[in-house]
Every structure is written in structure tokens, then in C-alpha cells.
């Protein structure tokens, strides 16, 4: 399973967290590419050639237009491919549902300390297992089920 991680450099913390996560995933033998961007340019040829199975996007509250741009570019580059996008946020609980409601292209949100959660997430994704009890993870499916049940 190949993982593409994207971060926006002015948020330095997101880039640093992505560097740490990249190193950990590579130690676990997951082919991983981290692309840290200093402006709103995403090298389509580079990421398309990598052919990721999962895309991790480090959320930027200070640059919401960047989030929208990157999500749009990802969907353009990988048009017609059902590649899950997982947004990483550096806070615990509260905004995950809102992110999934605002960004319909996002499949999952991992919050807080993401390293352990990513490993469990990838293991479950690779074996087509339920994400229900995966720590620090909120899925689009769980939000949709809540909404169908009338839970705000």
C-alpha cells in the first residue's frame, strides 16, 4: 500500500509532523512519499507517477483556500480513481464531523497523535476491515450513519 502525504510549508508544524509520519511509515515498510509545498503548486506528474493507494493531507486552519485547492487538484489528478483521502488534524475531537461535512472528498479524519492511528488505519484498510474502533479516526461512513439516525 503506497501512501502520499501532502503538507503546506508555511504551517511548518504540519510539514514536520508529515516528515515524522513519513519516516515511521517507511520503517514499517510502507512506500511513502511526502510532498511539502511552499506555495499553491502541486506537481501532478510527480504524484501521479507515484500512484498512491491512500492520500494523507495535513489540514491548515490558517490557509483554508489551500485545503480547497489541494483537494480539488487531487481529484483532478486522480480523476475516476477511488483513492481515499485522509485529512490529518493536530487537535483532538470536535471538528472532525465538520471537516467531513465541509469537504465531501475527504473519506477519513485522523486527529491528535496520528502515528499510531495511521498504522492501525492502514492495516484495516489493507485488509478491508471496519474502521469503527480505530483510535483518533472519524470516517465519512460513521458521520453518514449518525446523520441517517438523526444524530447531529
Amino acid at each position: 500500500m503506497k501512501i502520499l502525504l501532502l503538507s503546506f510549508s508555511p504551517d511548518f508544524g504540519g510539514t514536520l509532523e508529515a516528515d515524522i509520519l513519513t519516516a515511521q511509515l517507511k520503517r514499517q515498510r510502507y512506500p511513502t512519499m511526502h510532498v511539502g509545498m511552499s506555495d499553491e503548486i502541486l506537481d501532478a506528474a510527480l504524484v501521479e507517477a507515484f500512484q498512491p493507494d491512500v492520500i494523507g493531507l495535513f489540514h491548515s486552519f490558517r490557509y483554508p483556500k489551500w485545503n480547497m485547492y489541494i483537494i480539488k487538484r487531487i481529484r483532478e489528478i486522480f480523476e475516476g480513481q477511488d483513492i481515499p483521502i485522509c485529512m490529518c488534524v493536530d487537535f483532538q475531537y470536535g471538528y472532525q464531523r465538520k471537516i467531513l461535512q465541509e469537504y465531501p472528498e475527504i473519506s477519513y479524519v485522523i486527529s491528535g497523535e496520528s502515528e499510531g492511528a495511521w498504522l492501525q488505519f492502514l492495516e484495516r484498510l489493507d485488509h478491508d476491515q471496519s474502521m469503527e474502533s480505530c483510535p483518533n479516526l472519524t470516517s465519512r461512513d460513521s458521520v453518514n450513519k449518525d446523520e441517517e439516525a438523526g444524530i447531529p
Side-chain angles (χ1 to χ4, degrees), residues 33-51:
M33 174 189 282
H34 171 217
V35 179
M37 292 159 281
S38 59
D39 54 26
E40 293 187 348
I41 297 172
L42 180 59
D43 185 340
L46 177 72
V47 298
E48 194 171 28
F50 183 66
Q51 285 297 303

Side-chain angles (χ1 to χ4, degrees), residues 35 48 60 91 132 144:
V35 179
E48 194 171 28
S60 171
F91 51 83
E132 237 174 81
N144 289 344

Side-chain angles (χ1 to χ4, degrees), residues 3-7 14-36 50 56 58 114-115 118-119:
I3 302 110
L4 172 65
L5 299 175
L6 303 170
S7 63
T15 300
L16 181 60
E17 185 178 350
D19 286 339
I20 293 168
L21 181 57
T22 299
Q24 183 176 17
L25 293 173
K26 284 182 176 181
R27 277 194 302 276
Q28 296 296 321
R29 308 255 191 262
Y30 285 105
T32 306
M33 174 189 282
H34 171 217
V35 179
F50 183 66
F58 285 79
S114 61
E115 291 86 3
W118 262 97
L119 293 174

Side-chain angles (χ1 to χ4, degrees), residues 15 20-21 24 39 44 46 48 55 73 86-87 91 109 111 115 118 120 125 132 137 140 142 146:
T15 300
I20 293 168
L21 181 57
Q24 183 176 17
D39 54 26
L46 177 72
E48 194 171 28
I55 298 171
R73 285 292 293 135
C86 182
M87 187 171 277
F91 51 83
V109 176
S111 58
E115 291 86 3
W118 262 97
Q120 287 190 38
L125 193 63
E132 237 174 81
L137 181 95
R140 170 152 314 285
S142 69
D146 287 349

